[in-house]
Amino acid sequence: MGVYAMSEVRMHRDAEGRVRAAHPAAAYAFWHPFVQAFGSIEVVGRMAPETGSDSGLYVDGPGVSVHDAPYYAGALSLPLGLLRIRSFFSGIGGPRDIFVLRVPEFVSLVGYARARRVRAATIAFLVADPRQHAKAILPKPFGLILSVVLHHLSRAIMRHADCSVYVSQSYLQASYPPGPAARVLARSNVVIDDEWLRGTRAGRDRSDRVLDVISVGTFETRAKGFDLLIDAAAHLQSAGRQVRLTFVGDGRYRHFLQRRASRRG
């Protein structure tokens, strides 16, 4: 059995030949739970043709190897890039294998088509609302057309996946429901290493100071859970803990969040 994990994150090899990525969604820490479950996985990602810098997070490591998929960058190179990746996938996978997909990433869409063709099992992570994802990539009207296409493709993938994983508690599940026989999990795709918390533990439990929470993200959808964060802060305030929230972002739910924050104090 082989486990193939798709990633849209652009990767490069450093001077020592190790694979690195700038985004933590492709870092080794993200793939490590799959190593614990399956023993080893092969990450399929678009690899820059030239050797890159020694910056970025390591992707490969014990139990994680990388398939160098054809590289593309930008909307103009997307159609040709996907055709090249489709050809690349022709030699990957079989009926006893598992494809790990990150929907609505384009590499995963091509990977899903290959999984269906060879009848491989699929684990589908819905990591963003496809409608907003498309609008952020292309200007109108192309972004709107792509959003409709991605919406329907993503619904089909989540409905047919053997295991459906969502980064929201309920929001994305309502628009992209799993199939009746699927195993379903709500799991954040944020990986916070222990090193990030070093130096903060000594003072984080002090209840006599104001806890500042700064949250950055789009207000275009409710998928980020900002309303839940406001409710959590209000709960802490009622329990006697001083909390101050600062939101950085904009979008159509801005006034909704302002009203909720005002109502909850």
Side-chain angles (χ1 to χ4, degrees), residues 1-7 11 31 34-35 38-45 59-61 63-68 88-89 91-93 97-100:
M1 181 187 72
V3 181
Y4 301 97
M6 316 298 136
S7 177
M11 304 176 189
W31 307 117
F34 294 95
V35 176
F38 300 111
S40 64
I41 67 167
E42 299 180 53
V43 176
V44 179
V59 178
D60 54 356
V64 178
S65 58
V66 179
H67 268 292
D68 295 12
F88 167 83
F89 269 117
I92 290 180
D97 296 329
I98 299 173
F99 279 53
V100 181

Side-chain angles (χ1 to χ4, degrees), residues 182-240:
R183 302 289 183 92
V184 182
L185 178 67
R187 175 183 181 271
S188 172
N189 65 351
V190 176
V191 177
I192 301 178
D193 192 274
D194 287 344
E195 293 294 321
W196 291 33
L197 303 177
R198 180 166 294 180
T200 66
R201 294 179 178 176
R204 68 180 182 181
D205 291 329
R206 287 177 50 193
S207 59
D208 60 336
R209 66 181 179 87
V210 176
L211 177 64
D212 270 305
V213 179
I214 302 173
S215 189
V216 183
T218 177
F219 300 161
E220 194 60 31
T221 78
R222 293 177 60 182
K224 296 295 183 184
F226 293 134
D227 49 347
L228 180 62
L229 181 56
I230 291 171
D231 293 345
H235 177 76
L236 289 173
Q237 291 273 25
S238 66

Side-chain angles (χ1 to χ4, degrees), residues 121-179:
T122 54
I123 301 174
F125 280 72
L126 188 60
V127 299
D129 190 327
R131 291 165 294 191
Q132 303 305 323
H133 182 70
K135 293 175 184 177
I137 296 174
L138 296 175
K140 293 181 179 179
F142 305 105
L144 181 61
I145 296 172
L146 182 60
S147 71
V148 174
V149 173
L150 287 183
H151 171 70
H152 289 288
L153 282 175
S154 299
R155 281 181 62 90
I157 292 174
M158 300 310 293
R159 186 171 63 250
H160 290 108
D162 298 283
C163 179
S164 300
V165 186
Y166 299 86
V167 298
S168 65
Q169 191 67 39
S170 58
Y171 175 80
L172 292 172
Q173 288 90 322
S175 298
Y176 305 89

